[in-house]
PDB file of all heavy atoms in Angstrom:
ATOM      1  N   LEU K   1     -49.695  22.298 -35.804  1.00 63.00           N
ATOM      2  CA  LEU K   1     -49.648  23.203 -34.661  1.00 63.00           C
ATOM      3  C   LEU K   1     -48.210  23.435 -34.206  1.00 63.00           C
ATOM      4  O   LEU K   1     -47.798  24.570 -33.945  1.00 63.00           O
ATOM      5  CB  LEU K   1     -50.474  22.613 -33.514  1.00 63.00           C
ATOM      6  CG  LEU K   1     -50.428  23.342 -32.166  1.00 63.00           C
ATOM      7  CD1 LEU K   1     -51.010  24.737 -32.293  1.00 63.00           C
ATOM      8  CD2 LEU K   1     -51.170  22.548 -31.102  1.00 63.00           C
ATOM      9  N   VAL K   2     -47.430  22.368 -34.147  1.00 62.00           N
ATOM     10  CA  VAL K   2     -46.031  22.475 -33.729  1.00 62.00           C
ATOM     11  C   VAL K   2     -45.249  23.358 -34.701  1.00 62.00           C
ATOM     12  O   VAL K   2     -44.461  24.205 -34.292  1.00 62.00           O
ATOM     13  CB  VAL K   2     -45.401  21.074 -33.624  1.00 62.00           C
ATOM     14  CG1 VAL K   2     -43.899  21.173 -33.400  1.00 62.00           C
ATOM     15  CG2 VAL K   2     -46.058  20.292 -32.503  1.00 62.00           C
ATOM     16  N   GLN K   3     -45.481  23.159 -35.997  1.00 65.00           N
ATOM     17  CA  GLN K   3     -44.775  23.976 -36.986  1.00 65.00           C
ATOM     18  C   GLN K   3     -45.205  25.437 -36.897  1.00 65.00           C
ATOM     19  O   GLN K   3     -44.394  26.344 -37.108  1.00 65.00           O
ATOM     20  CB  GLN K   3     -45.026  23.417 -38.385  1.00 65.00           C
ATOM     21  CG  GLN K   3     -44.428  22.036 -38.600  1.00 65.00           C
ATOM     22  CD  GLN K   3     -44.529  21.586 -40.043  1.00 65.00           C
ATOM     23  OE1 GLN K   3     -44.334  22.374 -40.962  1.00 65.00           O
ATOM     24  NE2 GLN K   3     -44.824  20.310 -40.244  1.00 65.00           N
ATOM     25  N   ALA K   4     -46.472  25.669 -36.584  1.00 64.00           N
ATOM     26  CA  ALA K   4     -46.950  27.047 -36.451  1.00 64.00           C
ATOM     27  C   ALA K   4     -46.287  27.757 -35.271  1.00 64.00           C
ATOM     28  O   ALA K   4     -46.195  28.986 -35.238  1.00 64.00           O
ATOM     29  CB  ALA K   4     -48.468  27.059 -36.277  1.00 64.00           C
ATOM     30  N   MET K   5     -45.813  26.961 -34.289  1.00 56.00           N
ATOM     31  CA  MET K   5     -45.127  27.533 -33.130  1.00 56.00           C
ATOM     32  C   MET K   5     -43.666  27.816 -33.427  1.00 56.00           C
ATOM     33  O   MET K   5     -42.909  28.216 -32.541  1.00 56.00           O
ATOM     34  CB  MET K   5     -45.243  26.584 -31.934  1.00 56.00           C
ATOM     35  CG  MET K   5     -46.670  26.397 -31.440  1.00 56.00           C
ATOM     36  SD  MET K   5     -46.824  25.078 -30.208  1.00 56.00           S
ATOM     37  CE  MET K   5     -45.858  25.767 -28.868  1.00 56.00           C
ATOM     38  N   GLY K   6     -43.256  27.604 -34.697  1.00 55.00           N
ATOM     39  CA  GLY K   6     -41.888  27.916 -35.092  1.00 55.00           C
ATOM     40  C   GLY K   6     -40.915  26.788 -34.867  1.00 55.00           C
ATOM     41  O   GLY K   6     -39.701  26.996 -34.904  1.00 55.00           O
ATOM     42  N   MET K   7     -41.421  25.568 -34.635  1.00 55.00           N
ATOM     43  CA  MET K   7     -40.552  24.427 -34.395  1.00 55.00           C
ATOM     44  C   MET K   7     -40.706  23.423 -35.517  1.00 55.00           C
ATOM     45  O   MET K   7     -41.626  23.517 -36.317  1.00 55.00           O
ATOM     46  CB  MET K   7     -40.886  23.799 -33.048  1.00 55.00           C
ATOM     47  CG  MET K   7     -40.469  24.666 -31.871  1.00 55.00           C
ATOM     48  SD  MET K   7     -41.169  24.086 -30.317  1.00 55.00           S
ATOM     49  CE  MET K   7     -42.648  25.098 -30.255  1.00 55.00           C
ATOM     50  N   SER K   8     -39.786  22.479 -35.563  1.00 55.00           N
ATOM     51  CA  SER K   8     -39.871  21.461 -36.603  1.00 55.00           C
ATOM     52  C   SER K   8     -41.068  20.566 -36.348  1.00 55.00           C
ATOM     53  O   SER K   8     -41.590  20.498 -35.243  1.00 55.00           O
ATOM     54  CB  SER K   8     -38.583  20.629 -36.618  1.00 55.00           C
ATOM     55  OG  SER K   8     -38.390  20.004 -35.366  1.00 55.00           O
ATOM     56  N   GLY K   9     -41.508  19.856 -37.393  1.00 56.00           N
ATOM     57  CA  GLY K   9     -42.684  19.002 -37.271  1.00 56.00           C
ATOM     58  C   GLY K   9     -42.452  17.844 -36.319  1.00 56.00           C
ATOM     59  O   GLY K   9     -41.334  17.571 -35.882  1.00 56.00           O
ATOM     60  N   ILE K  10     -43.511  17.164 -36.003  1.00 60.00           N
ATOM     61  CA  ILE K  10     -43.438  16.054 -35.069  1.00 60.00           C
ATOM     62  C   ILE K  10     -44.245  14.895 -35.644  1.00 60.00           C
ATOM     63  O   ILE K  10     -45.320  15.097 -36.203  1.00 60.00           O
ATOM     64  CB  ILE K  10     -43.978  16.473 -33.682  1.00 60.00           C
ATOM     65  CG1 ILE K  10     -43.758  15.364 -32.662  1.00 60.00           C
ATOM     66  CG2 ILE K  10     -45.436  16.873 -33.738  1.00 60.00           C
ATOM     67  CD1 ILE K  10     -43.964  15.846 -31.230  1.00 60.00           C
ATOM     68  N   SER K  11     -43.700  13.700 -35.562  1.00 62.00           N
ATOM     69  CA  SER K  11     -44.338  12.550 -36.175  1.00 62.00           C
ATOM     70  C   SER K  11     -45.446  11.998 -35.293  1.00 62.00           C
ATOM     71  O   SER K  11     -45.542  12.325 -34.115  1.00 62.00           O
ATOM     72  CB  SER K  11     -43.295  11.446 -36.419  1.00 62.00           C
ATOM     73  OG  SER K  11     -42.844  10.924 -35.183  1.00 62.00           O
ATOM     74  N   LYS K  12     -46.263  11.121 -35.886  1.00 63.00           N
ATOM     75  CA  LYS K  12     -47.342  10.498 -35.119  1.00 63.00           C
ATOM     76  C   LYS K  12     -46.787   9.682 -33.964  1.00 63.00           C
ATOM     77  O   LYS K  12     -47.342   9.684 -32.864  1.00 63.00           O
ATOM     78  CB  LYS K  12     -48.183   9.611 -36.031  1.00 63.00           C
ATOM     79  CG  LYS K  12     -49.052  10.363 -37.020  1.00 63.00           C
ATOM     80  CD  LYS K  12     -49.969   9.408 -37.756  1.00 63.00           C
ATOM     81  CE  LYS K  12     -50.903  10.160 -38.694  1.00 63.00           C
ATOM     82  NZ  LYS K  12     -51.862   9.266 -39.362  1.00 63.00           N
ATOM     83  N   SER K  13     -45.677   8.979 -34.216  1.00 65.00           N
ATOM     84  CA  SER K  13     -45.105   8.153 -33.155  1.00 65.00           C
ATOM     85  C   SER K  13     -44.585   9.021 -32.011  1.00 65.00           C
ATOM     86  O   SER K  13     -44.712   8.668 -30.833  1.00 65.00           O
ATOM     87  CB  SER K  13     -43.970   7.291 -33.704  1.00 65.00           C
ATOM     88  OG  SER K  13     -42.932   8.099 -34.239  1.00 65.00           O
ATOM     89  N   GLN K  14     -44.023  10.188 -32.340  1.00 63.00           N
ATOM     90  CA  GLN K  14     -43.539  11.088 -31.306  1.00 63.00           C
ATOM     91  C   GLN K  14     -44.690  11.655 -30.480  1.00 63.00           C
ATOM     92  O   GLN K  14     -44.587  11.790 -29.263  1.00 63.00           O
ATOM     93  CB  GLN K  14     -42.729  12.225 -31.942  1.00 63.00           C
ATOM     94  CG  GLN K  14     -41.388  11.787 -32.486  1.00 63.00           C
ATOM     95  CD  GLN K  14     -40.703  12.896 -33.259  1.00 63.00           C
ATOM     96  OE1 GLN K  14     -41.317  13.592 -34.054  1.00 63.00           O
ATOM     97  NE2 GLN K  14     -39.420  13.063 -33.018  1.00 63.00           N
ATOM     98  N   VAL K  15     -45.784  11.993 -31.167  1.00 63.00           N
ATOM     99  CA  VAL K  15     -46.964  12.485 -30.442  1.00 63.00           C
ATOM    100  C   VAL K  15     -47.456  11.420 -29.473  1.00 63.00           C
ATOM    101  O   VAL K  15     -47.744  11.702 -28.308  1.00 63.00           O
ATOM    102  CB  VAL K  15     -48.088  12.868 -31.426  1.00 63.00           C
ATOM    103  CG1 VAL K  15     -49.370  13.168 -30.669  1.00 63.00           C
ATOM    104  CG2 VAL K  15     -47.681  14.079 -32.257  1.00 63.00           C
ATOM    105  N   SER K  16     -47.526  10.189 -29.940  1.00 64.00           N
ATOM    106  CA  SER K  16     -48.015   9.109 -29.089  1.00 64.00           C
ATOM    107  C   SER K  16     -47.113   8.901 -27.882  1.00 64.00           C
ATOM    108  O   SER K  16     -47.589   8.676 -26.769  1.00 64.00           O
ATOM    109  CB  SER K  16     -48.125   7.814 -29.897  1.00 64.00           C
ATOM    110  OG  SER K  16     -49.078   7.955 -30.925  1.00 64.00           O
ATOM    111  N   LYS K  17     -45.784   8.972 -28.101  1.00 66.00           N
ATOM    112  CA  LYS K  17     -44.861   8.799 -26.978  1.00 66.00           C
ATOM    113  C   LYS K  17     -45.014   9.917 -25.952  1.00 66.00           C
ATOM    114  O   LYS K  17     -44.989   9.685 -24.747  1.00 66.00           O
ATOM    115  CB  LYS K  17     -43.419   8.755 -27.501  1.00 66.00           C
ATOM    116  CG  LYS K  17     -43.079   7.470 -28.238  1.00 66.00           C
ATOM    117  CD  LYS K  17     -41.649   7.484 -28.738  1.00 66.00           C
ATOM    118  CE  LYS K  17     -41.333   6.193 -29.482  1.00 66.00           C
ATOM    119  NZ  LYS K  17     -39.943   6.196 -30.024  1.00 66.00           N
ATOM    120  N   LEU K  18     -45.168  11.141 -26.449  1.00 65.00           N
ATOM    121  CA  LEU K  18     -45.348  12.261 -25.532  1.00 65.00           C
ATOM    122  C   LEU K  18     -46.648  12.127 -24.749  1.00 65.00           C
ATOM    123  O   LEU K  18     -46.727  12.439 -23.559  1.00 65.00           O
ATOM    124  CB  LEU K  18     -45.339  13.579 -26.317  1.00 65.00           C
ATOM    125  CG  LEU K  18     -43.981  14.014 -26.871  1.00 65.00           C
ATOM    126  CD1 LEU K  18     -44.162  15.205 -27.806  1.00 65.00           C
ATOM    127  CD2 LEU K  18     -43.025  14.384 -25.760  1.00 65.00           C
ATOM    128  N   CYS K  19     -47.679  11.639 -25.437  1.00 69.00           N
ATOM    129  CA  CYS K  19     -48.988  11.528 -24.799  1.00 69.00           C
ATOM    130  C   CYS K  19     -49.067  10.379 -23.809  1.00 69.00           C
ATOM    131  O   CYS K  19     -50.012  10.303 -23.021  1.00 69.00           O
ATOM    132  CB  CYS K  19     -50.083  11.371 -25.857  1.00 69.00           C
ATOM    133  SG  CYS K  19     -50.352  12.875 -26.817  1.00 69.00           S
ATOM    134  N   GLU K  20     -48.082   9.487 -23.837  1.00 69.00           N
ATOM    135  CA  GLU K  20     -48.081   8.398 -22.868  1.00 69.00           C
ATOM    136  C   GLU K  20     -47.928   8.924 -21.442  1.00 69.00           C
ATOM    137  O   GLU K  20     -48.254   8.226 -20.480  1.00 69.00           O
ATOM    138  CB  GLU K  20     -46.975   7.403 -23.198  1.00 69.00           C
ATOM    139  CG  GLU K  20     -47.301   6.541 -24.416  1.00 69.00           C
ATOM    140  CD  GLU K  20     -46.147   5.650 -24.825  1.00 69.00           C
ATOM    141  OE1 GLU K  20     -45.109   5.688 -24.130  1.00 69.00           O
ATOM    142  OE2 GLU K  20     -46.285   4.933 -25.822  1.00 69.00           O
ATOM    143  N   ASP K  21     -47.428  10.148 -21.306  1.00 70.00           N
ATOM    144  CA  ASP K  21     -47.316  10.744 -19.972  1.00 70.00           C
ATOM    145  C   ASP K  21     -48.688  10.943 -19.342  1.00 70.00           C
ATOM    146  O   ASP K  21     -48.818  11.038 -18.120  1.00 70.00           O
ATOM    147  CB  ASP K  21     -46.584  12.094 -20.052  1.00 70.00           C
ATOM    148  CG  ASP K  21     -45.120  11.930 -20.431  1.00 70.00           C
ATOM    149  OD1 ASP K  21     -44.594  10.811 -20.243  1.00 70.00           O
ATOM    150  OD2 ASP K  21     -44.513  12.904 -20.905  1.00 70.00           O
ATOM    151  N   ILE K  22     -49.712  11.022 -20.169  1.00 75.00           N
ATOM    152  CA  ILE K  22     -51.066  11.191 -19.644  1.00 75.00           C
ATOM    153  C   ILE K  22     -51.538   9.903 -18.974  1.00 75.00           C
ATOM    154  O   ILE K  22     -52.364   9.933 -18.061  1.00 75.00           O
ATOM    155  CB  ILE K  22     -52.040  11.564 -20.786  1.00 75.00           C
ATOM    156  CG1 ILE K  22     -51.577  12.835 -21.494  1.00 75.00           C
ATOM    157  CG2 ILE K  22     -53.458  11.733 -20.260  1.00 75.00           C
ATOM    158  CD1 ILE K  22     -52.419  13.198 -22.696  1.00 75.00           C
ATOM    159  N   ASP K  23     -51.001   8.768 -19.420  1.00 82.00           N
ATOM    160  CA  ASP K  23     -51.497   7.472 -18.954  1.00 82.00           C
ATOM    161  C   ASP K  23     -51.471   7.339 -17.440  1.00 82.00           C
ATOM    162  O   ASP K  23     -52.401   6.786 -16.847  1.00 82.00           O
ATOM    163  CB  ASP K  23     -50.692   6.340 -19.587  1.00 82.00           C
ATOM    164  CG  ASP K  23     -50.977   6.183 -21.068  1.00 82.00           C
ATOM    165  OD1 ASP K  23     -51.962   6.791 -21.538  1.00 82.00           O
ATOM    166  OD2 ASP K  23     -50.220   5.490 -21.757  1.00 82.00           O
ATOM    167  N   GLU K  24     -50.405   7.810 -16.824  1.00 83.00           N
ATOM    168  CA  GLU K  24     -50.282   7.661 -15.370  1.00 83.00           C
ATOM    169  C   GLU K  24     -51.428   8.363 -14.655  1.00 83.00           C
ATOM    170  O   GLU K  24     -52.041   7.800 -13.738  1.00 83.00           O
ATOM    171  CB  GLU K  24     -48.942   8.217 -14.899  1.00 83.00           C
ATOM    172  CG  GLU K  24     -48.716   8.030 -13.399  1.00 83.00           C
ATOM    173  CD  GLU K  24     -47.349   8.515 -12.951  1.00 83.00           C
ATOM    174  OE1 GLU K  24     -46.530   8.910 -13.815  1.00 83.00           O
ATOM    175  OE2 GLU K  24     -47.092   8.509 -11.735  1.00 83.00           O
ATOM    176  N   ARG K  25     -51.748   9.594 -15.103  1.00 84.00           N
ATOM    177  CA  ARG K  25     -52.848  10.331 -14.468  1.00 84.00           C
ATOM    178  C   ARG K  25     -54.191   9.670 -14.759  1.00 84.00           C
ATOM    179  O   ARG K  25     -55.034   9.542 -13.864  1.00 84.00           O
ATOM    180  CB  ARG K  25     -52.860  11.774 -14.972  1.00 84.00           C
ATOM    181  CG  ARG K  25     -51.789  12.659 -14.357  1.00 84.00           C
ATOM    182  CD  ARG K  25     -51.813  14.040 -14.995  1.00 84.00           C
ATOM    183  NE  ARG K  25     -51.253  14.019 -16.333  1.00 84.00           N
ATOM    184  CZ  ARG K  25     -51.443  14.970 -17.234  1.00 84.00           C
ATOM    185  NH1 ARG K  25     -52.228  15.986 -16.958  1.00 84.00           N
ATOM    186  NH2 ARG K  25     -50.875  14.897 -18.419  1.00 84.00           N
TER     187      ARG K  25
END
């Protein structure tokens, strides 16, 4: 999905780190 948006790929670890922002909510 990220690559389809014209950006470089994203690793599983990066996805997990970004998703940690959900934890607080």
Side-chain angles (χ1 to χ4, degrees):
L1 174 64
V2 171
Q3 294 188 40
M5 295 171 65
M7 289 168 266
S8 60
I10 186 166
S11 68
K12 289 187 177 184
S13 60
Q14 289 173 316
V15 171
S16 296
K17 288 180 180 178
L18 288 171
C19 290
E20 286 174 2
D21 292 339
I22 303 175
D23 289 348
E24 183 177 355
R25 283 176 286 162

